[in-house]
Amino acid sequence: MSDQVRVAVLSGFGINCESETMAVFEMAGASADRVHVNRLVNGEMSLDDYHIMAVPGGFSFGDHLGSGRLMGNRLRFGLREQVRRFVQASKPVIGICNGFQVLVKMGLLPGDNEVSLTQTASLALNDSGHYENRWATLEFDQRSPCIWTKGLTRMRVPVRHGEGKFVTADRALLDDWAESGQLVVRYVDPTTDYPSASDEVLPYPISPNQSWRNIAGVCDPSGLVFGLMPHPEANHSTWLGATWTRDVEQGEHGEGEGMVIFRNAVEYARANL
Amino acid sequence: MGTDTPVFTYEVTTRDLAGLPDARGDSVKGMLASNYGVEVGSVRVILGYQVKADLTAEEAQRAVYDLFADPVIEQGSVSGRLLDDAEIFSSRPQIVVQAGFKPGVTDNAGQAGLDGLLTIFPHIAGQAAVATSKTYAFWDVPGGVTSDWLASKLHNPMIERAAIAKRADCQAGNWPTLDFPSQPALDQQTPAVIDLEVSDERLLEISETGLLALNLNEMRAIQAHYRDPVVREQRKALGLPEGAPTDAELECLAQTWSEHCCHKIFASKIHHVDTVTGEDSTIDSLFKTHIMKPTLDIQNEVDWLLSIFHDNSGVIAWNDEWSLCMKAETHNSPSALDPFGGAMTGIVGVNRDILGTGLGARPIANTDVFCFGPPDYSGKIPEGLFHPSRVFRGVHAGVRAGGNESGIPTVNGAIIFDDRYLGKPLVYCGTVGLMPRRLPDGRESHEKTPTPGDVVYMVGGRVGSDGIHGATFSSLELTEESPSSAVQIGDPITQKKMLDMILEARDAGLIQVITDNGAGGLSSSVGEMAELTGGADLDLAVVPLKQAGLSPWEILVSESQERMTVGVRPADCAAFEALAALHEVEATAVGTFTDSGAFVVRMSENVVAHLPIEFLHDGCPQLQLESEWTPPEHEPIEFPESGAEDMGALLERLMARPNVASKEWWVRSYDHEVIAQSVIKPFCGVNHDAPGDAAVIAPIQGQTQGAVISNGIVPRYSDIDAYAMTAASIDEALRNAVCVGVDLDLIAGLDNFCWPDPVESAKTPDGRYKLAQLVRANRALDEVCRAYNLPCISGKDSMKNDATLHGEKISIPPTILFSLIGNHSDVRKAVSSDFKTVGDRIYLCGETHQELGASELAYLLRDESGGESGIGGQVPEIEPERNLAMYRALTAAMGEGLVASAHDCSDGGLAAAVAECCFGADSGASIDLSGVMTDCGDIDSWGALFGESLGRILVSVEPQHCEAFEAAMSGHACHALGSVEAGDQISISNGDEAVLTASMAQLRAAWKGTLDGGGPQ
């Protein structure tokens, strides 16, 4: 058990969301450091000193050659053993938006028990063909082993991406991942009752990118590595909601819906690491 | 890298999987349908990467799926054409177009590809280059659509090349192939000496042929400088030509004295005549008289104006810990020539103004305001110009890429349409910055602290032939000869790395002085900062180049992007360079700040320019200009006979006008929420699609103090009076801020003027009138800002927004963008524009007058009548004291939690505002105008419904708060209008008489339909 949970929030090369990602971990009771990827490569800092790793959103390398691709390669080739050691030590990892794209492209998600870093899925261009910022409603699979999403049913969060359509070359894999609870979080029609996540692709803009099976995020078989396209860190306080001026009463302001995810991981790390 | 280095060509396309469209191809298909009404059967896009590097065959093969193609969703090949692969393309396309950049044009994807290649193959560092292309393949092309036409819509010949396979080529499998865009080294020219001992005609010729944009007086002032015996003596000692400038000196003076850099028109002495009042007066500098003076007077009264006028942006104290700064720029001329690159350069450029403020501020929010020709324009487009819809799409994409990739949210903006922006679009890009009041080492971050001896670093991108003469070019009108070198493409990745590095260096105390390399390049950045220490010594020979062989003057004035100039103490240089290396940012020591009194530029040992600081910055002679105001005459508006349903139909048409219509499709593709600070967003309401007013952000995570950002822009009123246009713009910005509950004791403004050339000449015979418009605009700015206690902390002017193409001159309407930044004491009390609950009472705060002159309604009636109906009439008059008193009462009521919604009444008047508030609640409304009709004697229902009187805000209040609200607003015009109703009906009456009925859903469909950019929405 660790007194102070330390979070490495990666930065550099067009990662943009490190400030708010650090902030939400701090709000959840951890201490967070901004860690430039090159400081891990040159040995000035080490992932071994941290309990949680976060790959924040942004536009690493301008999304050229496919979002997350070049940053994924920097990690896959430049930090391969450090990253594998971190995951094999059962330490939580989260990738948000561009960070999720990085984890998928480097093969850490949906991943495998061996942490082989083999890419099996991808995030394609939204069917709309362009970037969009809009709010979506997510539904979580409570059967999932994901430690980040314990107790969550639904959440309202912004999506902000152009390449968020989760696909795979082998559709049979989707059944395997569904079975193992790795399809943790999906876009859902907010007017329906929980649970109602469906495999049928929901209409735009309920599913903003036309992701297969409405997948918004997945975890690895262990449930420790988690990634999602939407931005829970952008809903850390009630006054950041899309319709808070309609649905939050004066005097009822406080923590936003997205904070549960970060609290879960910090509590997990405190209890287990 | 030798000339015999092999080139490997990689191709990548979307894999054929059920449920995975080629979204790039579909976007092109959608663009052709939306912009041109051309429906092609299908489009596929193939991304190409030409890699020039010594790779083994095995390495080359490995890079296909390790780098260029995604192994799951894409198919890739190296040195084979995918179009020949029948498994991917079962039938041959009819037309294929390949587009790629011209040599020397920034290729961001190519740079990223190179970076990725070096991650895998570090051994080829310094020996490799990557260029990208896109290949568009078309099936089922309608007859009459030629390959040349398609190619013209898919590339901009100013910066790109295209290769085409026509129908026969496609049959034969001859696919288009661009060669690798190699840029041969230039022959470096030794500095030339420009003989100025010539006739006046020849002086002007030197200025014109050299694109110097200097007038005769200015050329004579330079001539006189080189005749000065003291100067000659000094130059002799330095080994410089005694009586004549070098090319580098003349270029440096032209940049520094350009209208763009030194605002000569705003500094001029103006003889102003008003033919109505008989006024005959002289104004010695509009800037000093009407902008600087009021702000300095306000500065005497408040303690929060930290830094104004002298830095890259104005700085205000936001609280004890943090300060805010803001700057807005225009990037009009480049955006006309290359909408994407021009606009992207605009946004990343203004971000650097923030990074270059004080010791460096963090950009935290962008604002984008565009003025274009009508998207549905069907008239003739002068050769050399793009159709407004293409300009719109390109500018939007450039700003989207620049802002999103930099991680800076676009929080507020506007898009305005008018025929006269056909010649020059206006692209206003604004940025807000945040910085700690004090750095860890105790220095105040808004003050630069240079000392002689500090080392000058150039940080970020390299210098190329792109962007030479940008500053002087933007000080000239646009013609068919406008140079392509003035166009650039921004590189957000280089800039983001630099931004991360600079802010880390700032906090480590390594920066003494910093500024942006924008207009005028090093000549301006080093030249301006040299003024702080009294001199600088710059060595051009060590400046890293992306184009070999540039001549000294070109290196000096090139505006290649993504560069900052930083002054570092010698003791800090090692730490500064180490930080740059960590971030993979190039930082090169290129000189030293001195106190020698001169800006000295060398090429190694050879001095190529020696300019006394005083002459450089104060030597430009003042312009003397003539101004004469005679109000224009307009035909009156002819109002049609209209019943309540006709009025509803008219409102529907008004809501669909591009100036009023929803911009949601476009705005949604800007990231407005990165940094997790967005409290009041661009859209609100139950369906997230009703228009917001000002933006509210809470930039310190978890804290509830906020900042308000808003904009006002109403160029229409210039057609009657630029005074009214300016007053309306300022009031609109403030009104929007009031709608969200701004703290009126801490507000600051930015004035951003875009004018047609107001200097009388053969080319501009109406220069006196245009200058009089400028005088009146400045007087409005002065009077209204003083009354609102709203200091202008930063501003900018762009004074040559004319285009002459093939003898046809198009001048923009005089346009001011007024931007506002203010404090919000507690964002939890911010108010949004959407009606909240059925049964809430609706009020109109502020007085309504019969003010329909140059209103959106007037233009609608003019357009629908084919010009029979005029736009004449009373333009909105401003009463700032009355407005401010009401704004104070209203924001106080908001602080008490009494206000459920508040929305600005502007384009389209009260009727449009009611409709927009209903959109946010999926509701109807019932409104009675009787109270409004008592505001003045001559008002009719046209004026009440569609008039655009200033100082008005439409508010809704929960029934239980009405009594307290009415008490809070007592003493101010505040009319109870009616209530929010269930259902779809918007009913507006005057007492018992119905004056307008409409279906909310139909109004909303009209409002959302006009500017839907295509795709699945």
Side-chain angles (χ1 to χ4, degrees):
Chain A
M1 179 174 158
S2 174
D3 286 345
Q4 182 57 284
V5 174
R6 299 191 63 197
V7 186
V9 177
L10 299 193
S11 75
F13 305 113
I15 287 177
N16 291 330
C17 299
E18 67 268 31
S19 297
E20 59 265 40
T21 305
M22 288 166 64
V24 289
F25 279 107
E26 304 246 339
M27 288 179 202
S31 79
D33 289 342
R34 174 185 279 112
V35 178
H36 194 284
V37 170
N38 276 355
R39 288 203 161 96
L40 297 173
V41 174
N42 71 14
E44 197 180 317
M45 298 172 95
S46 168
L47 281 180
D48 297 342
D49 297 332
Y50 293 92
H51 304 106
I52 296 173
M53 176 171 85
V55 190
F59 270 86
S60 55
F61 295 99
D63 274 3
H64 298 299
L65 282 72
S67 53
R69 174 74 153 172
L70 294 175
M71 182 63 97
N73 273 1
R74 287 262 182 151
L75 301 183
R76 190 156 65 108
F77 296 112
L79 287 173
R80 186 182 185 86
E81 288 317 312
Q82 225 180 126
V83 169
R84 292 189 71 223
R85 196 160 64 237
F86 194 88
V87 173
Q88 285 171 333
S90 297
K91 292 177 173 178
V93 175
I94 190 168
I96 301 170
C97 195
N98 192 230
F100 178 43
Q101 293 162 336
V102 167
L103 298 186
V104 169
K105 304 286 174 86
M106 69 183 289
L108 206 51
L109 282 176
D112 47 48
N113 292 323
E114 297 73 36
V115 197
S116 70
L117 302 185
T118 309
Q119 183 181 344
T120 52
S122 194
L123 292 148
L125 274 167
N126 299 349
D127 274 11
S128 67
H130 60 89
Y131 179 99
E132 270 190 349
N133 178 347
R134 60 168 66 247
W135 280 62
T137 302
L138 308 180
E139 182 167 300
F140 294 84
D141 179 358
Q142 292 213 322
R143 298 176 305 112
S144 170
C146 184
I147 65 105
W148 293 84
T149 59
K150 290 272 177 266
L152 279 168
T153 53
R154 285 194 175 175
M155 180 184 290
R156 293 174 296 177
V157 279
V159 291
R160 312 193 311 246
H161 61 252
E163 299 179 29
K165 180 185 169 94
F166 187 91
V167 298
T168 171
D170 178 2
R171 279 184 184 264
L173 285 171
L174 291 173
D175 293 329
D176 297 345
W177 294 329
E179 186 62 30
S180 56
Q182 287 178 258
L183 305 182
V184 193
V185 50
R186 307 207 258 173
Y187 302 106
V188 69
D189 182 346
T191 62
T192 59
D193 292 326
Y194 179 86
S196 62
S198 87
D199 289 350
E200 199 67 33
V201 177
L202 292 168
Y204 174 90
I206 293 170
S207 163
N209 48 31
Q210 301 294 286
S211 212
W212 287 2
R213 298 197 185 184
N214 307 303
I215 294 164
V218 301
C219 67
D220 78 339
S222 74
L224 286 157
V225 182
F226 172 53
L228 75 172
M229 287 312 301
H231 286 273
E233 84 288 3
N235 191 5
H236 64 60
S237 298
T238 44
W239 55 84
L240 300 177
T243 52
W244 72 266
T245 58
R246 307 184 68 80
D247 45 38
V248 180
E249 291 292 324
Q250 291 285 336
E252 289 179 8
H253 276 290
E255 198 162 86
E257 294 169 30
M259 278 303 295
V260 178
I261 287 181
F262 307 100
R263 287 202 179 284
N264 276 340
V266 172
E267 278 160 27
Y268 175 89
R270 189 167 287 136
N272 296 287
L273 297 174
Chain B
M1 191 170 24
T3 48
D4 53 351
T5 307
V7 175
F8 298 90
T9 300
Y10 292 83
E11 289 195 327
V12 177
T13 196
T14 307
R15 191 179 289 268
D16 189 16
L17 290 174
L20 181 67
D22 179 347
R24 290 187 190 89
D26 290 351
S27 287
V28 172
K29 187 177 142 126
M31 179 276 288
L32 291 172
S34 163
N35 279 14
Y36 307 104
V38 169
E39 302 280 352
V40 296
S42 71
V43 186
R44 290 292 305 268
V45 173
I46 298 167
L47 305 177
Y49 302 90
Q50 289 176 296
V51 173
K52 197 169 189 181
D54 272 311
L55 297 176
T56 64
E58 193 191 346
E59 285 171 336
Q61 194 59 45
R62 186 183 154 201
V64 175
Y65 285 108
D66 262 351
L67 181 61
F68 293 108
D70 181 307
V72 174
I73 54 171
E74 290 174 335
Q75 275 180 301
S77 72
V78 57
S79 302
R81 300 304 294 263
L82 291 177
L83 284 167
D84 286 325
D85 187 335
E87 291 198 357
I88 305 175
F89 300 106
S90 54
S91 69
R92 291 211 151 150
Q94 283 174 295
I95 292 174
V96 178
V97 176
Q98 187 174 64
F101 291 110
K102 284 181 169 174
V105 176
T106 302
D107 182 348
N108 288 316
Q111 274 307 307
L114 178 61
D115 190 289
L117 203 63
L118 297 180
T119 299
I120 308 177
F121 308 117
H123 63 275
I124 55 168
Q127 312 279 321
V130 179
T132 63
S133 67
K134 283 197 178 103
T135 303
Y136 305 89
F138 297 88
W139 286 263
D140 299 322
V141 181
V145 173
T146 65
S147 51
D148 286 338
W149 183 87
L150 279 173
S152 76
K153 302 307 171 211
L154 293 167
H155 84 293
N156 177 359
M158 188 158 268
I159 52 163
E160 290 166 312
R161 309 170 294 162
I164 297 170
K166 297 177 189 288
R167 285 172 166 86
D169 299 318
C170 290
Q171 281 305 318
N174 292 330
W175 310 122
T177 306
L178 294 166
D179 50 11
F180 193 90
S182 300
Q183 194 178 26
L186 298 169
D187 285 330
Q188 190 173 82
Q189 305 295 312
T190 48
V193 178
I194 316 293
D195 181 9
L196 297 184
E197 294 304 330
V198 293
S199 67
D200 286 353
E201 291 75 27
R202 177 72 192 127
L203 282 179
L204 275 178
E205 208 180 303
I206 292 170
S207 171
E208 274 167 31
T209 54
L211 275 177
L212 301 178
L214 294 169
N215 67 23
L216 184 59
N217 266 341
E218 291 153 0
M219 289 300 287
R220 280 183 179 154
I222 296 171
Q223 183 187 54
H225 174 75
Y226 289 92
R227 285 176 178 170
D228 183 338
V230 180
V231 171
R232 289 192 167 197
E233 197 58 37
Q234 202 174 26
R235 293 177 67 79
K236 190 176 173 187
L238 289 161
L240 281 164
E242 288 168 47
T246 63
D247 52 5
E249 286 172 329
L250 194 55
E251 288 285 347
C252 185
L253 285 165
Q255 301 302 321
T256 311
W257 291 8
S258 67
E259 178 59 45
H260 185 98
C261 292
C262 90
H263 314 289
K264 290 184 280 204
I265 292 168
F266 267 80
S268 68
K269 187 167 278 181
I270 295 173
H271 175 223
H272 178 69
V273 172
D274 186 324
T275 60
V276 180
T277 64
E279 179 191 343
D280 186 320
S281 61
T282 303
I283 304 158
D284 188 358
S285 173
L286 286 170
F287 175 68
K288 285 186 180 153
T289 311
H290 293 302
I291 300 176
M292 207 166 180
K293 183 73 168 53
T295 294
L296 291 174
D297 288 346
I298 295 172
Q299 195 180 30
N300 287 331
E301 307 291 318
V302 302
D303 61 358
W304 45 266
L305 284 170
L306 295 180
S307 168
I308 42 177
F309 301 126
H310 63 268
D311 204 341
N312 289 310
S313 71
V315 185
I316 59 173
W318 181 46
N319 57 34
D320 291 342
E321 308 271 300
W322 298 94
S323 54
L324 292 169
C325 54
M326 188 171 180
K327 176 67 173 277
E329 277 273 6
T330 51
H331 227 230
N332 307 335
S333 303
S335 301
L337 300 176
D338 174 32
F340 178 83
M344 191 205 239
T345 311
I347 191 69
V348 296
V350 73
N351 293 163
R352 283 197 309 277
D353 277 324
I354 296 304
L355 188 60
T357 294
L359 294 169
R362 175 186 295 281
I364 58 164
N366 286 335
T367 63
D368 299 312
V369 176
F370 307 141
C371 302
F372 298 126
D376 56 353
Y377 184 78
S378 56
K380 197 170 131 273
I381 306 277
E383 203 178 315
L385 293 180
F386 293 121
H387 188 275
S389 63
R390 182 166 177 182
V391 176
F392 183 180
R393 214 173 264 275
V395 164
H396 171 262
V399 167
R400 180 189 67 207
N404 290 1
E405 292 179 23
S406 304
I408 303 165
T410 298
V411 299
N412 196 256
I415 309 175
I416 310 287
F417 301 96
D418 186 293
D419 285 358
R420 290 162 290 177
Y421 297 117
L422 199 63
K424 261 200 194 180
L426 303 186
V427 177
Y428 290 99
C429 297
T431 302
V432 177
L434 176 74
M435 57 183 164
R437 293 282 297 275
R438 285 182 187 281
L439 297 183
D441 62 18
R443 284 181 297 160
E444 290 190 289
S445 60
H446 65 274
E447 301 273 15
K448 300 184 197 293
T449 55
T451 42
D454 286 350
V455 177
V456 181
Y457 277 89
M458 187 182 98
V459 182
R462 296 181 152 219
V463 174
S465 52
D466 48 352
I468 288 175
H469 282 147
T472 51
F473 161 60
S474 70
S475 306
L476 295 166
E477 67 173 359
L478 193 63
T479 70
E480 49 268 44
E481 277 92 39
S482 296
S484 61
S485 68
V487 173
Q488 302 192 63
I489 296 178
D491 173 2
I493 304 312
T494 296
Q495 177 141 325
K496 179 69 166 97
K497 289 193 288 187
M498 176 175 76
L499 189 143
D500 288 352
M501 178 254 163
I502 292 283
L503 291 175
E504 211 175 315
R506 175 198 71 184
D507 291 341
L510 303 177
I511 294 176
Q512 303 305 320
V513 60
I514 178 168
T515 198
D516 159 41
N517 273 284
L522 288 169
S523 78
S524 288
S525 70
V526 181
E528 277 170 25
M529 290 200 299
E531 209 179 357
L532 301 176
T533 59
D537 186 305
L538 173 68
D539 183 2
L540 299 174
V542 298
V543 172
L545 303 180
K546 55 186 175 186
Q547 158 79 68
L550 287 181
S551 298
W553 74 267
E554 292 175 307
I555 303 172
L556 186 60
V557 303
S558 166
E559 298 173 9
S560 291
Q561 296 287 301
E562 290 82 40
R563 290 182 295 147
M564 301 295 291
T565 296
V566 182
V568 179
R569 286 181 303 208
D572 293 330
C573 287
F576 187 79
E577 288 180 17
L579 205 51
L582 177 89
H583 286 267
E584 299 181 21
V585 171
E586 199 157 18
T588 312
V590 295
T592 317
F593 289 113
T594 68
D595 53 6
S596 70
F599 178 29
V600 180
V601 183
R602 291 180 291 113
M603 195 74 186
S604 297
E605 298 307 312
N606 298 328
V607 174
V608 298
H610 181 280
L611 289 162
I613 296 289
E614 204 181 325
F615 178 63
L616 181 62
H617 291 293
D618 302 321
C620 184
Q622 189 181 31
L623 286 176
Q624 315 276 332
L625 301 177
E626 291 293 326
S627 160
E628 185 177 304
W629 173 249
T630 304
E633 285 175 17
H634 292 281
E635 293 298 314
I637 304 168
E638 289 180 20
F639 297 101
E641 283 293 318
S642 299
E645 285 182 15
D646 301 328
M647 282 298 216
L650 187 142
L651 176 59
E652 190 175 319
R653 300 199 298 282
L654 187 71
M655 298 306 290
R657 283 176 70 80
N659 281 337
V660 182
S662 171
K663 280 81 182 176
E664 182 179 358
W665 193 91
W666 305 89
V667 173
R668 284 241 174 264
S669 67
Y670 300 136
D671 188 339
H672 54 261
E673 295 183 284
V674 59
I675 315 185
Q677 59 181 5
S678 170
V679 177
I680 298 293
K681 303 171 200 293
F683 298 100
C684 59
V686 62
N687 299 311
H688 311 179
D689 61 358
D693 290 307
V696 179
I697 57 173
I700 309 298
Q701 308 293 342
Q703 293 185 17
T704 55
Q705 187 182 357
V708 176
I709 298 142
S710 63
N711 286 291
I713 180 166
V714 203
R716 282 184 270 117
Y717 294 144
S718 291
D719 287 345
I720 293 180
D721 187 355
Y723 185 101
M725 182 274 289
T726 307
S729 304
I730 301 167
D731 190 59
E732 184 177 47
L734 183 58
R735 226 160 51 225
N736 275 276
V738 167
C739 285
V740 299
V742 73
D743 167 8
L744 286 163
D745 291 322
L746 184 39
I747 49 174
L750 281 80
D751 55 285
N752 217 306
F753 289 76
C754 283
W755 233 251
D757 185 1
V759 178
E760 188 179 35
S761 68
K763 273 194 272 185
T764 311
D766 55 353
R768 289 177 186 228
Y769 173 68
K770 287 170 173 167
L771 189 62
Q773 289 180 301
L774 187 68
V775 169
R776 292 182 67 77
N778 272 276
R779 289 179 171 174
L781 188 75
D782 185 338
E783 289 164 21
V784 176
C785 285
R786 281 180 188 275
Y788 280 152
N789 209 29
L790 176 54
C792 289
I793 56 167
S794 185
K796 195 80 190 182
D797 55 273
S798 168
M799 304 304 291
K800 306 278 165 148
N801 290 290
D802 312 275
T804 300
L805 293 138
H806 307 281
E808 205 178 319
K809 177 166 176 173
I810 311 174
S811 295
I812 65 154
T815 306
I816 282 182
L817 169 66
F818 194 86
S819 308
L820 182 145
I821 177 148
N823 179 48
H824 200 291
S825 308
D826 184 348
V827 298
R828 293 168 297 186
K829 294 184 172 164
V831 175
S832 63
S833 73
D834 46 325
F835 286 150
K836 299 299 183 299
T837 311
V838 169
D840 284 356
R841 301 288 309 276
I842 302 170
Y843 294 85
L844 180 63
C845 302
E847 287 185 21
T848 306
H849 296 259
Q850 185 72 4
E851 294 174 322
L852 285 159
S855 61
E856 190 64 33
L857 175 79
Y859 285 86
L860 176 147
L861 294 174
R862 181 198 67 176
D863 294 349
E864 291 190 348
S865 68
E868 286 293 305
S869 175
I871 58 145
Q874 179 61 48
V875 277
E877 289 189 327
I878 191 156
E879 289 202 36
E881 290 81 9
R882 185 187 73 205
N883 294 347
L884 183 61
M886 187 276 277
Y887 295 160
R888 284 196 181 280
L890 182 59
T891 50
M894 289 172 171
E896 298 295 315
L898 301 176
V899 177
S901 75
H903 188 36
D904 163 43
C905 281
S906 56
D907 301 342
L910 175 62
V914 169
E916 289 176 346
C917 293
C918 288
F919 298 162
D922 263 347
S923 74
S926 92
I927 302 282
D928 180 354
L929 298 173
S930 330
V932 175
M933 305 302 269
T934 64
D935 280 342
C936 68
D938 61 347
I939 195 160
D940 62 18
S941 54
W942 290 100
L945 288 169
F946 302 111
E948 297 176 359
S949 293
L950 305 179
R952 297 184 309 156
I953 293 174
L954 185 69
V955 163
S956 69
V957 178
E958 288 179 39
Q960 75 267 26
H961 293 319
C962 285
E963 197 181 329
F965 175 75
E966 288 176 16
M969 296 305 291
S970 73
H972 308 282
C974 178
H975 303 291
L977 296 183
S979 54
V980 181
E981 301 289 337
D984 182 51
Q985 186 81 9
I986 294 176
S987 313
I988 302 180
S989 67
N990 180 12
D992 294 335
E993 180 203 356
V995 295
L996 186 153
T997 59
S999 148
M1000 183 276 292
Q1002 279 184 30
L1003 293 179
R1004 184 162 61 191
W1007 179 70
K1008 291 181 82 162
T1010 304
L1011 295 177
D1012 182 338
Q1017 285 196 97

